[in-house]
Amino acid sequence: MRIREMREARGMKQRELAEKAGITAAYLCDLEKGKKRNPSIALLVRIAEALNVTLIDLLEQKVS
């Protein structure tokens, strides 16, 4: 997932994104660090909407 990358590209703080997505900043932090795995699709959709991106964009892995 590219949550942190997309959040930072938009100049958003974790707390701001968490509020928009309806989750705690601590949970968002854990997602970004990979400590929490397998979030629900519904949660990922809320995060994508808060970032104004598609779910595909959020989940897409960068190829080097």
Side-chain angles (χ1 to χ4, degrees):
M1 286 183 287
R2 300 171 54 203
I3 298 171
R4 175 180 281 163
E5 175 187 342
M6 295 186 137
R7 175 181 59 75
E8 289 177 346
R10 284 153 183 75
M12 294 176 79
K13 301 281 186 194
Q14 280 183 337
R15 183 172 298 187
E16 180 183 358
L17 176 55
E19 284 179 13
K20 286 184 176 188
I23 59 176
T24 66
Y27 187 77
L28 177 60
C29 181
D30 286 347
L31 280 175
E32 288 185 350
K33 289 181 178 181
K35 291 182 179 180
K36 296 285 186 185
R37 299 189 183 271
N38 302 320
S40 70
I41 294 296
L43 173 60
L44 293 175
V45 166
R46 290 195 328 252
I47 292 171
E49 288 174 350
L51 289 167
N52 200 30
V53 299
T54 67
L55 183 57
I56 298 296
D57 290 337
L58 185 64
L59 298 175
E60 183 177 63
Q61 294 294 319
K62 275 202 156 183
V63 179
S64 300

